[in-house]
């Protein structure tokens, strides 16, 4: 019986460091080793690695204190430290000779029953362990993580010919439950699954864009969110990863894939890219730019695009297509495939070849289409997997178009003729096997994806922004599905109706969705509409409905549990603040950031944080200052552990888990646990700090402005936050109710809505996706 309670990672580069960090996040003590450095400090390489792990721009740890769980050393002086490790993960350079020599050293030291794995993405197990004894081969596997390890959900787990099933089962369970990964078991084939399909798609998009003469802006306007692919697009993704690195990845796959593999048709490098590499235009990491030069709004520098003929940077020209915007908003990309122009040709060529390539991998490379879909969704952040996309097009329609173009139809695609790859039957989701039969889609115990479950359910109510469903055990569920899950009037109306219905018919309510982000906040477009028209009565009514809806949720006669992942910001976080319990994903980002766009939280966020800080501090003035500072600076937490320090996570109430695919099950379990003894707990009035504290805060704001730390509008916004948390011009000790605090929030929001600065900041945020700082 294998069990992992301690670990060692050899190789402190990007991947090894990320793996060590995630083990530390999981509470596992880990030894991190690399080669000795030159000079007196032989552990300098690992010491510098830990500094990168703590980098504020993209921290690898859920909390900085977790670095204490990592012991560092080097493989010459400290290899003995791996002696007691239950799992030894190798993540050294992709050279077979180096790996083989290291395995012999590891095997001489490791304890009996320990597991050894490699993070290789290119070398088959058969070659890695060909010189090793049977006892080593039986306990060896490939565990291929994706970068950055903390955030990317996919783990490709590869079993060798001699690997014990118990070893694979142990790694599968541990990486799922403890490391939070979606584990896809792969055969020992070149490129496994994620990179094989993902790099093919990227290379096909790149080559097709050049063949059709598309600009980077045109190509990325299609090969991005409209297709359910990350917004970077193909040229933006090359810049993000690094043009030199992506070229190396393509060459690596080309060298290991069979000669007849279609990848070779798109693997060739392009002369223009070699010139870019030679001139140091390798993307974001190089500092000089790549296909794009990023904008810097703070310095009033706009985004630029490389003119591939003159090799000079020109102004970025957005390619705004209504059909692409419609596809992004609706989630239906299929109209793009029918466009009678170069962009339509681009969409069809790239997507159809990618989908055919994915279909050609079943069953020889992997028996299951689910594994391929999971690899692309978890490893490349596609919203839909290849086979889900074929179903959206229609299997027969897809085959017919391929045949009309005299293109070969993959055998497995032909098997699906007259059917679909996924289908719901008797409230069970099934998928097509390579032999033409259907099997029930089963996940590990505790894993439930609402994106899959919803295909077997009919909503009780739905609109363009949200839907309301009934789950098993009499539990209701609200799902947001607007763009970025921004919350507007439709969202609030749906929540309002769901709370009313669930209070009568259900034992509890869950707020959850499978999107990348739970909610990026209140719909700024709706707010800007009121501001631009000067309709302050309309703005006040919108906020009043928002507040009353969340208050009705908080005081519903049934427990309400939220299960967020990704961003829960502003108005989205205000939803969480009004639930009985929150089950956070480990990488949840939370905060009230409204001050950054020149307004205050208007859905009860200030009120709730004031109560939270008062419950923690026991002193209303201290609580007011804590709420004032955190909301005024728009502080965010990048994990539940950071949220705890900002009173955004309640000890003994809220919870967090590593794997987002386990959120839904955890939330429904929480509802069932709370429901039998559930009783609504009313909040007491707050004796407010009053005018003296309000004036002190205003004086602090003015001093910060005089020192150049705050803009004039920051002072205006901060003064309104101060008015809410102190009660404003009232005597100290004056008691206010929750509704009084709601009224103060609306008053402050509307006051700011009348200013041109707030209007300009909201406009800038909507246009650039980042706050305006002036």
């Amino acid at each position: 019986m294998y069990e992992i309670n301690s670990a060692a990672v050899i190789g402190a580069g990007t991947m090894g460091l990320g793996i060590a960090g995630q083990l530390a996040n999981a509470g596992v003590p880990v030894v991190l080793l690399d080669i000795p450095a030159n000079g007196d400090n032989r552990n300098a390489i690992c010491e510098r690695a830990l500094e990168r792990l703590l980098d504020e721009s993209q921290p690898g740890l859920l909390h900085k204190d977790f670095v204490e769980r990592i012991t560092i050393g080097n493989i010459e002086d400290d290899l003995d430290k791996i002696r007691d490790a239950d799992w030894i993960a190798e993540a050294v350079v992709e050279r077979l000779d180096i790996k083989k020599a290291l395995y012999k050293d590891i095997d001489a030291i490791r304890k009996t029953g320990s597991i050894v794995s490699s993070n290789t993405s290119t070398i088959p197990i058969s070659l890695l362990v060909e010189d090793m004894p049977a006892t080593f081969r039986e306990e060896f596997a490939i565990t291929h993580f994706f970068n950055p390890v903390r955030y990317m959900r996919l783990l490709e787990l590869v079993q060798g010919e001699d690997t014990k099933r118990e070893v694979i089962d142990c790694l599968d369970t541990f990486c799922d439950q403890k490391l939070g990964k979606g584990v896809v078991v792969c055969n020992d084939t070149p490129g496994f699954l994620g990179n094989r399909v993902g790099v093919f798609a990227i290379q096909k998009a790149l080559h097709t864009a050049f063949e059709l003469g598309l600009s980077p802006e045109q190509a990325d306007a299609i090969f991005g969110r409209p297709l359910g692919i990350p917004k970077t697009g193909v040229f933006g993704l090359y810049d993000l990863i690094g043009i030199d690195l992506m070229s190396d990845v393509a060459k690596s796959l080309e060298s290991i894939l069979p000669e007849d593999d279609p990848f070779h048709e798109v693997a060739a490098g392009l002369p223009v890219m070699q010139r870019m590499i030679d001139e140091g235009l390798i993307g974001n990491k190089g500092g000089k730019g790549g296909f794009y030069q990023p904008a810097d709004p703070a310095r009033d520098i706009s985004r630029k695009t490389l003119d591939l003929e003159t090799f000079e940077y020109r102004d970025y020209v957005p390619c705004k297509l209504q059909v692409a915007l419609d596809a992004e908003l609706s989630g239906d990309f299929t109209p793009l495939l029918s466009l009678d122009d170069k962009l339509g040709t681009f969409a069809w060529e790239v997507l159809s070849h990618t989908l055919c390539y994915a279909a050609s991998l079943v069953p020889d490379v992997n028996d299951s289409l689910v594994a391929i879909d999971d690899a692309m969704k978890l490893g490349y952040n596609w919203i839909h997997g290849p086979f889900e996309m074929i179903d959206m097009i229609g299997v027969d329609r897809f085959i017919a178009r391929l045949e009309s173009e005299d293109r070969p139809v993959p055998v497995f695609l032909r098997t699906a003729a007259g059917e679909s790859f996924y289908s719901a039957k008797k409230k069970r989701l099934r998928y097509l096997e390579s032999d033409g039969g259907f099997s029930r889609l089963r996940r590990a115990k505790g894993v439930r994806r609402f994106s899959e479950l919803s295909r077997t359910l009919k909503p009780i109510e739905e609109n363009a922004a949200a839907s309301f469903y009934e789950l098993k055990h009499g539990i209701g569920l609200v799902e947001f599905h607007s763009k970025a899950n921004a919350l507007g009037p439709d969202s609030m109306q749906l929540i309002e109706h769901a709370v009313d219905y669930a209070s009568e018919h259900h034992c509890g309510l869950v707020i959850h969705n499978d999107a990348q982000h739970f909610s990026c906040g209140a719909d700024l477009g709706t707010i800007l509409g009121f501001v631009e028209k000067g309709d302050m009565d309309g703005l006040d009514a919108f906020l009043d409905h928002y507040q009353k809806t969340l208050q009705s949720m908080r005081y519903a006669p049934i427990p309400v549990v939220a299960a967020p992942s990704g961003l829960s910001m502003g108005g989205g976080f205000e939803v969480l603040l009004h639930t009985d319990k929150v089950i956070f994903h480990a990488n949840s980002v939370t905060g009230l950031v409204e001050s950054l766009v020149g307004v205050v939280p208007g859905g009860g966020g200030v009120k709730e944080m004031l109560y939270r800080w008062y419950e923690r501090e026991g002193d209303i003035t201290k609580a007011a200052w804590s709420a004032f500072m955190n909301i005024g600076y728009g502080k965010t937490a990048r994990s539940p552990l950071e949220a705890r320090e900002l009173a955004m996570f309640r000890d003994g109430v809220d919870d967090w888990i590593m794997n987002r695919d386990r959120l839904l099950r955890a939330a429904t379990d929480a509802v069932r646990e709370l429901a039998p003894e559930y009783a609504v707990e009313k909040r007491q009035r707050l004796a407010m700090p009053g005018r003296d504290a309000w004036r002190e805060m205003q004086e602090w704001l003015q001093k910060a402005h005089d020192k150049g730390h705050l803009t004039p509008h920051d002072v205006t916004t901060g003064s309104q936050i101060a008015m809410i948390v102190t009660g404003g011009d009232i005597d100290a000790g004056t008691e206010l109710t929750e509704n009084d605090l709601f009224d103060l929030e609306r008053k402050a929001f509307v006051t700011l809505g009348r200013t041109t600065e707030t209007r300009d900041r909201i406009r800038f945020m909507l246009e650039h996706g980042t706050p305006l700082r002036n």
Side-chain angles (χ1 to χ4, degrees), residues 166 295 376 390 400 475 526 710:
E166 296 90 339
M376 298 315 300
I390 296 175
I475 298 172
T526 296
L710 299 177

Side-chain angles (χ1 to χ4, degrees), residues 71 133 154 157 197 228 463 570 581 721:
T71 301
L154 178 62
L157 179 58
V197 177
N463 58 37
K581 185 181 184 73
I721 297 171

Side-chain angles (χ1 to χ4, degrees), residues 221-498:
I222 298 296
F223 190 78
R225 282 176 171 167
L227 288 181
I229 293 170
K231 66 178 181 179
T232 50
V234 58
F235 290 98
L237 184 59
Y238 251 88
D239 278 357
L240 179 65
I241 296 173
I243 292 166
D244 53 344
L245 179 58
M246 267 304 303
S247 298
D248 290 342
V249 169
K251 290 176 184 176
S252 176
L253 282 171
E254 184 181 23
S255 69
I256 62 175
L257 289 172
E259 291 183 3
D260 61 348
D261 194 282
F263 184 86
H264 295 290
E265 299 172 10
V266 298
L270 297 168
V272 67
M273 293 174 59
Q274 187 57 54
R275 180 180 174 185
M276 292 174 69
I277 294 171
D278 292 342
E279 296 190 16
L281 303 177
I282 57 175
N284 299 354
K285 66 178 181 178
K288 296 171 65 176
F291 290 108
Y292 300 109
Q293 278 186 339
D296 186 350
R299 296 193 298 160
D300 197 28
I301 297 175
S302 60
R303 192 180 190 189
K304 304 289 185 181
T305 305
L306 183 65
D307 187 308
L308 299 175
E309 293 184 2
T310 67
F311 246 66
E312 299 289 335
Y313 283 98
R314 58 168 173 79
D315 288 339
Y316 175 83
V317 181
C319 180
K320 296 182 178 180
L321 301 169
Q322 187 60 46
V323 65
L325 178 61
D326 291 344
E328 180 182 344
L329 293 175
S330 68
D332 180 9
F333 62 85
T334 57
L336 295 171
L337 308 181
S338 301
L339 293 176
D340 188 21
D341 57 19
K342 287 197 300 184
L343 296 180
T345 300
F346 175 71
W348 167 251
E349 282 293 306
V350 174
L351 197 57
S352 63
H353 280 85
T354 300
L355 301 183
C356 284
Y357 186 63
S360 73
L361 302 181
V362 180
D364 294 340
V365 173
N366 200 291
D367 294 332
S368 174
L369 67 89
V370 178
I372 296 174
D373 277 352
D374 280 353
M376 298 315 300
K377 291 188 290 185
L378 303 181
Y380 277 77
N381 284 333
W382 289 17
I383 294 176
H384 311 288
F387 297 96
E388 293 172 325
M389 297 178 88
I390 296 175
D391 278 353
M392 293 174 72
I393 297 169
V395 172
D396 292 344
R397 179 184 170 196
F398 188 52
I399 292 174
R401 184 163 178 182
L402 292 175
E403 290 177 334
S404 72
E405 297 175 358
D406 293 324
R407 287 172 54 185
V409 178
V411 173
F412 185 48
L413 177 57
R414 184 78 70 183
T415 302
E419 300 277 1
S420 60
F421 286 108
Y422 293 92
S423 65
K425 186 175 183 180
K426 295 181 179 179
K427 293 191 175 183
R428 304 290 187 189
L429 189 60
R430 310 179 306 159
Y431 67 95
L432 185 69
E433 297 274 18
S434 59
D435 62 4
F438 280 88
S439 293
R440 179 183 169 187
L441 178 55
R442 297 178 183 273
R443 297 290 183 186
K445 184 178 180 181
V447 171
R448 298 181 75 188
R449 295 181 188 165
F450 189 69
S451 57
E452 295 171 350
L453 180 61
S454 63
R455 299 186 214 178
T456 70
L457 302 173
K458 183 178 180 180
I460 296 172
E461 183 178 344
E462 62 180 336
N463 58 37
S467 298
F468 173 45
Y469 296 86
E470 180 174 352
L471 308 179
K472 289 180 7 180
H473 309 298
I475 298 172
L477 182 142
V478 170
E479 175 198 31
F480 304 140
H481 47 67
S482 59
K483 183 178 180 181
N485 286 333
L487 305 177
D490 285 348
S491 313
M492 291 301 109
Q493 183 184 67
L494 194 288
I495 293 176
E496 179 186 16
H497 293 175

Side-chain angles (χ1 to χ4, degrees), residues 436-593:
F438 280 88
S439 293
R440 179 183 169 187
L441 178 55
R442 297 178 183 273
R443 297 290 183 186
K445 184 178 180 181
V447 171
R448 298 181 75 188
R449 295 181 188 165
F450 189 69
S451 57
E452 295 171 350
L453 180 61
S454 63
R455 299 186 214 178
T456 70
L457 302 173
K458 183 178 180 180
I460 296 172
E461 183 178 344
E462 62 180 336
N463 58 37
S467 298
F468 173 45
Y469 296 86
E470 180 174 352
L471 308 179
K472 289 180 7 180
H473 309 298
I475 298 172
L477 182 142
V478 170
E479 175 198 31
F480 304 140
H481 47 67
S482 59
K483 183 178 180 181
N485 286 333
L487 305 177
D490 285 348
S491 313
M492 291 301 109
Q493 183 184 67
L494 194 288
I495 293 176
E496 179 186 16
H497 293 175
V499 169
D500 288 345
Y501 185 95
S503 297
E504 292 290 328
H505 300 93
H506 295 149
C507 69
L509 184 65
V510 170
I511 316 291
H512 171 72
N513 61 72
D514 262 352
Q516 182 179 6
H517 301 300
F518 176 77
S519 172
C520 292
D523 183 8
L524 288 178
T526 296
I527 293 169
L528 183 61
F530 292 122
V531 170
E532 289 185 327
K533 291 186 294 186
D535 183 6
M536 295 301 108
D537 288 340
L539 178 59
D540 184 77
F542 167 72
L543 294 171
D544 184 56
H545 185 223
Y546 207 110
Q547 293 174 343
K548 287 179 177 175
T549 298
L550 297 189
Q551 191 77 326
S552 71
M553 187 172 71
R554 190 183 189 289
Y555 288 118
I558 54 172
V560 179
V561 176
S565 59
L567 299 179
S568 301
M569 308 299 280
F573 184 52
E574 286 176 312
V575 173
L576 304 186
L577 287 170
H578 288 83
T579 60
D580 295 292
K581 185 181 184 73
V582 182
I583 313 259
F584 291 94
H585 178 234
N587 291 330
S588 294
V589 179
T590 52
L592 296 171
V593 295

Side-chain angles (χ1 to χ4, degrees), residues 90 99-107 118 128 132 140:
E90 169 269 303
K99 292 178 185 287
K100 282 186 171 185
L102 179 61
Y103 296 158
K104 291 185 181 297
D105 292 339
I106 290 172
D107 198 38
S118 174
L128 289 172
M132 300 302 295
F140 185 88

Side-chain angles (χ1 to χ4, degrees), residues 736-749:
L736 297 184
T737 65
E738 286 188 84
N739 287 335
D740 292 332
L741 292 170
F742 268 137
D743 291 343
L744 290 177
E745 284 191 22
R746 289 203 319 280
K747 176 184 176 182
F749 201 113

